[in-house]
Amino acid sequence: MNWSLLPPVCLGLGLTGGLTLSHIIAPRKSFVSKWGKTCLQVSVVLLGFSVPLADVWQAGREGFLLALGTIVSILAAGLLLAKALRTPSRLAALVAAGTAICGGSAIAALAPVLGADADEVAASLATVFLLNAVALFLFPVLGHAFALSPVSFGHWSALAIHDTSSVVGAALAFSPESLPTAATVKLARALWIVPLCLAAAAFLRHRRTHGDISSTASPTARPRRWAALAQWVPWFIPGFLAASFVRAFLPAPLTDVLGALSKVGFALSLFLIGLGINKGVFFRAGRNALGLGLLLWIGASMGTFLLVAR
C-alpha cells in the first residue's frame, strides 16, 4: 500500500467536508474533535509496537538538544515579535508556545495557567490548525526537493511542525522510514509542555506576590488553574514507550499489523481534524495571531532545516 498518499488525501477530504458541510458538522464539532484527538493518541501508542526501544532512545537523545534550542529560540522570538506587531501578551504567549512545543496541546495546557479567554484560545488554535494543514502538504514536497534523507526529514518535521498529527502525516507522506524518528523526536519535544507551564505559573505567581501585576482572579481561581495543569497528562507518551518495550516480546507479524493500524489511525485522525476546520477558523485566527504565528513558523522551519540539512 502506498502510505505516502494517505495523509494528504485524508486531510484534504476532511478539509473539504469541514468547509462545505459546516452547517451539518458544526453542531457535532466537539464529538469530531474528541474522537480526532483520541484516535491520534491511540495511533501514537500503536506506533510504538513497530519502533525498537533502542531506536527510540537514540532518536530521543539526538533530538533533545535540538528541541531545547528551538523551543527557547522560538519563545524568545515570539516575545520580541509580539512587541513589534503589538500582539496582546497572552495571545502571543499561546501562539509562541504552540509553535515552539506541540501546537494545540501546548495551547490547551498553557491557557488555564495564563488565564486566557476563549477568544485568545480560539485565535491561537485556529492559527496552529491552518499552518499545520499547510505543513502537511508543503514539507514532503520541500523534503524531496532538497533531497533530505528519511532521518533528516524526520528530525525537521518533528522540530518545525506544530501538532503531532501533522508531524506523523508529513513524515509518512515523505517516507515511512521517516516516521519513527519524527514521532520519537516530536514526543520528546512535547514533554516540554509541563516545565513550560510550571515555569509560567511560577512566574505569574511571583509577579502577583510582588505586586507587579494585578489579579482579578478569585482566591479559588488559582488552585483551579494548577488543578487544570495537573490533570494534563500526556498518557500516550509513556504508552508509546511501553509499546516499544513490549515489542521485543511479540512476533514480527503481530507488530507489523499493529504498525499498519497506527498508520491507518493517523490518517483517520487527520481526516477528523480536517473535518473540524470550517470557514470560521480563518476569521477566528485574526491578523494578530496569524501574522505572529506565520513569522514564527517560517523562522522555525528555516532555522531547523539548516540544522538538520548540514
Side-chain angles (χ1 to χ4, degrees), residues 244-258:
S244 183
F245 173 77
V246 171
R247 176 188 182 278
F249 306 99
L250 298 178
L254 178 58
T255 59
D256 290 343
V257 170
L258 293 173

Side-chain angles (χ1 to χ4, degrees), residues 137-150 153 156 173-175 305 309:
F137 292 100
L138 183 61
F139 268 56
V141 174
L142 293 176
H144 286 298
F146 289 102
L148 291 180
S149 69
F153 185 85
W156 184 40
F174 180 80
S175 169
F305 177 82

Side-chain angles (χ1 to χ4, degrees), residues 113-306:
V113 178
L114 299 179
D117 59 36
D119 290 339
E120 291 167 332
V121 174
S124 54
L125 285 175
T127 298
V128 165
F129 288 154
L130 291 175
L131 296 178
N132 272 329
V134 173
L136 181 59
F137 292 100
L138 183 61
F139 268 56
V141 174
L142 293 176
H144 286 298
F146 289 102
L148 291 180
S149 69
V151 172
S152 294
F153 185 85
H155 276 103
W156 184 40
S157 60
L159 294 170
I161 301 178
H162 306 76
D163 277 333
T164 304
S165 57
S166 291
V167 169
V168 297
L172 193 56
F174 180 80
S175 169
E177 296 176 13
S178 299
L179 188 55
T181 300
T184 303
V185 175
K186 178 59 180 175
L187 294 181
R189 179 182 163 200
L191 287 174
W192 287 97
I193 295 174
V194 175
L196 174 66
C197 291
L198 290 173
F203 175 72
L204 290 176
R205 186 171 60 173
H206 173 79
R207 293 189 67 185
R208 290 192 184 100
T209 300
H210 290 77
D212 295 328
I213 57 174
S214 60
S215 175
T216 57
S218 67
T220 59
R222 294 174 195 170
R224 281 201 296 268
R225 291 177 184 176
W226 282 96
L229 176 61
Q231 290 171 2
W232 189 91
V233 178
W235 63 269
F236 57 92
I237 297 179
F240 172 84
L241 295 175
S244 183
F245 173 77
V246 171
R247 176 188 182 278
F249 306 99
L250 298 178
L254 178 58
T255 59
D256 290 343
V257 170
L258 293 173
L261 286 176
S262 74
K263 294 172 183 175
V264 173
F266 284 133
L268 178 58
S269 68
L270 287 170
F271 171 75
L272 292 173
I273 289 170
L275 204 60
I277 298 178
N278 53 43
K279 297 175 183 177
V281 171
F282 296 91
F283 297 102
R284 286 197 298 271
R287 289 181 297 177
N288 268 331
L290 191 56
L292 177 62
L294 183 60
L295 289 174
L296 288 176
W297 180 59
I298 291 174
S301 300
M302 294 177 63
T304 53
F305 177 82
L306 293 176

